[in-house]
């Protein structure tokens, strides 16, 4: 049976570092509040003329180099993003042209912060079905483009960046993506959304002046749900693979809040040392976050052949998912 393995990883974060102190000059906040409540110290913001597809290109090129493949062997591009360059065409199509890969199919997936896991799952199944052999999977976000810098409850939490992996077919059936557990609950979209700019509330002068094009979030509700669904999803994935927490070498959680990650560690009874975290440096980069952390862990030599890696995320939708990979 064909499996899908990660041949290479890559990531990119913009040069501009924005510290908590920098934000405290714009909104009524403090380094102390942000660090204590979230664990974030700083984040990166893209330049005005740097779009999501530009960051995606950097991450993709790094993943291609790391995988040591000719880019022409890529036969499908999927980009996870909630901050596309524009509503259409997809960021994946724009990336395809920037990479110089005409004609191969390309599309976006919108699952907010769970986008990386959703997309990896789609790519895995497309490879296992035999239709594609080498898929470029990207998570990329310019969250700064939808942040309200008059809203201290949200603008301190997010950052920009991109990540990519090359997922490729392999005849080694015991390696690669072993299982995905994912879910969604669309009953309360208002707890995390960007209200305007779609067909329900097209752009008008009112929608702009009422700040409806910015991200809105009920942080407390998200927090409670995140802790519950992430834990349960990981347990589902472990059970499906007949594994226990002890078998996991490394956990790469979506980087939203250190307190959420600590609760998850407790629920799974996995030591925090086994988690790869970097939200102190990048904040929540949404669909890019798991891929950035994965790339960092790979580059740091934290992942060896045969290791069992647990990925887990939640995001707007609500959406959530977990995945187990054997490296
Ligand atoms: N600086 C200073 N004070 C602040 C700030 C800030 N940046 N933000 C809020 N406060 C104040 C509030 O106004 C409140 O003041 P009050 O008590 O006088 O009313 C107080 O701090 C406490 O606010 P809470 O909302 O209760 O703070 P909480 O401990 O819940 O932390 C946080 C807020 C960090 C947002 C937390 O709820 C959280 O992380 N939630 C999850 C969010 C998340 O992960 N979202 C990403 C989802 S992924 C995706 O798809 C995009």
């Amino acid at each position: 049976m064909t499996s899908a393995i990660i041949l290479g990883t890559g990531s990119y974060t913009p040069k501009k570092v924005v510290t908590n102190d920098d934000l405290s000059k714009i909104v009524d906040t403090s380094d102390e509040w942000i660090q204590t409540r979230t664990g974030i110290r700083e984040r990166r913001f893209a330049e005005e003329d740097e779009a999501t597809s530009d960051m995606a290109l950097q991450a993709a090129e790094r993943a291609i180099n790391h995988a040591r493949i000719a880019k022409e062997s890529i036969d499908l591009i999927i980009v996870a993003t909630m901050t596309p360059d524009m509503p259409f065409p997809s960021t994946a199509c724009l990336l395809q042209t920037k990479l110089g890969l005409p004609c191969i199919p390309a599309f976006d997936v919108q699952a907010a912060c769970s986008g990386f896991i959703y997309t990896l799952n789609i790519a895995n199944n497309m490879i296992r079905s035999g239709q594609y052999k080498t898929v470029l999977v990207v998570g990329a976000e310019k969250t700064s483009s939808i942040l309200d810098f008059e809203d201290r409850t949200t603008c301190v939490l997010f950052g920009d960046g991109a990540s990519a992996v090359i997922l490729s077919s392999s005849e080694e059936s015991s390696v690669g993506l072993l299982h995905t557990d994912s879910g969604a609950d669309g009953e309360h979209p208002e707890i995390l959304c960007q209200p305007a700019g779609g067909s329900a509330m097209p752009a008008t002068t009112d929608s702009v002046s009422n700040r409806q094009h910015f991200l809105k979030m009920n942080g407390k509700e998200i927090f409670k749900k995140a802790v519950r669904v992430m834990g349960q999803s990981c347990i589902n994935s472990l059970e499906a693979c007949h594994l226990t927490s002890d078998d996991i070498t490394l956990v790469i959680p979506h980087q939203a809040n250190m307190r959420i990650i600590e609760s998850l560690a407790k629920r799974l009874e996995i030591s925090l040392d086994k988690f790869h975290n970097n939200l102190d440096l990048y904040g929540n980069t949404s669909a890019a976050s798991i891929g950035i952390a994965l790339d960092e862990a790979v580059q740091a030599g934290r992942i060896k052949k045969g290791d069992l890696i647990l990925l887990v995320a939640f995001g707007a939708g609500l959406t959530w998912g977990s995945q187990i990979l054997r490296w």
Side-chain angles (χ1 to χ4, degrees):
M1 172 92 180
T2 302
S3 65
I5 57 166
I6 292 180
L7 277 190
T9 61
S11 63
Y12 168 82
T13 50
K15 280 190 215 67
K16 197 204 286 175
V17 176
V18 178
T19 64
N20 293 342
D21 284 336
D22 292 333
L23 288 177
S24 70
K25 292 175 192 136
I26 307 172
V27 286
D28 180 15
T29 189
S30 65
D31 178 50
E32 200 268 331
W33 191 96
I34 301 170
Q35 284 215 43
T36 318
R37 301 287 176 134
T38 70
I40 299 166
R41 282 194 291 130
E42 58 192 44
R43 71 289 292 141
R44 305 292 180 96
F45 283 164
E47 298 300 324
E48 230 166 84
D49 62 355
E50 193 174 29
T52 298
S53 66
D54 297 315
M55 293 187 279
L57 175 65
Q58 299 292 329
E61 287 180 336
R62 289 171 192 186
I64 291 164
N65 287 338
H66 185 231
R68 297 193 184 155
I69 57 160
K71 66 180 180 184
E72 290 72 20
S73 63
I74 295 169
D75 47 16
L76 173 67
I77 299 172
I78 319 179
V79 175
T81 186
M82 64 172 192
T83 49
D85 286 28
M86 52 186 103
F88 64 88
S90 70
T91 301
C93 285
L94 303 174
L95 175 62
Q96 181 222 51
T97 289
K98 287 180 182 182
L99 277 169
L101 294 174
C103 297
I104 61 166
F107 63 93
D108 287 0
V109 169
Q110 218 295 31
C113 302
S114 309
F116 200 81
I117 282 183
Y118 267 55
T119 306
L120 214 49
N121 186 34
I122 294 166
N124 178 53
N125 285 315
M126 285 179 139
I127 288 172
R128 288 170 72 103
S129 76
Q131 192 177 3
Y132 299 98
K133 287 205 170 341
T134 307
V135 183
L136 170 61
V137 170
V138 175
E141 302 280 15
K142 186 173 178 177
T143 66
S144 61
S145 65
I146 57 164
L147 290 178
D148 185 346
F149 289 98
E150 290 185 7
D151 177 7
R152 68 176 182 173
T153 68
T154 53
C155 74
V156 302
L157 303 174
F158 296 89
D160 299 338
S163 57
V165 299
I166 302 292
L167 198 69
S168 188
S169 64
S170 164
E171 294 313 314
E172 235 186 304
S173 60
S174 60
V175 294
L177 210 164
L178 304 183
H179 184 78
T180 300
D181 174 80
S182 59
D185 176 1
E187 202 168 337
H188 293 289
E190 70 288 350
I191 67 175
L192 182 48
C193 68
Q194 181 186 354
S199 59
M201 196 192 294
T204 60
T205 47
D206 276 353
S207 71
V208 173
S209 59
N210 293 332
R211 312 185 78 76
Q212 295 298 305
H213 293 266
F214 293 123
L215 177 150
K216 313 281 179 199
M217 183 175 74
N218 178 336
K220 263 199 190 333
E221 280 307 306
I222 294 277
F223 194 107
K224 279 190 279 182
K225 286 182 192 294
V227 169
R228 200 175 60 239
V229 298
M230 286 171 95
Q232 190 54 52
S233 182
C234 289
I235 289 164
N236 295 347
S237 283
L238 288 168
E239 283 177 2
C241 294
H242 307 291
L243 296 168
T244 70
S245 296
D246 292 342
D247 298 313
I248 297 298
T249 325
L250 190 67
V251 184
I252 301 188
H254 169 49
Q255 304 289 301
N257 185 316
M258 204 52 213
R259 288 186 293 147
I260 294 177
I261 294 171
E262 284 163 0
S263 305
L264 179 69
K266 214 177 258 175
R267 168 105 195 257
L268 296 177
E269 296 178 359
I270 297 181
S271 153
L272 262 183
D273 305 343
K274 282 192 173 185
F275 283 64
H276 191 90
N277 296 316
N278 60 14
L279 91 165
D280 56 329
L281 298 178
Y282 304 120
N284 180 348
T285 57
S286 184
S289 93
I290 287 184
I292 294 174
L294 177 67
D295 183 45
E296 258 187 19
V298 169
Q299 302 304 335
R302 263 194 106 173
I303 302 181
K304 300 181 305 297
K305 191 163 169 49
D307 282 353
L308 281 164
I309 317 295
L310 173 62
L311 313 181
V312 55
F314 71 96
L318 290 180
T319 55
W320 60 86
S322 66
Q323 239 152 16
I324 295 180
L325 299 157
R326 188 182 290 279
W327 205 256

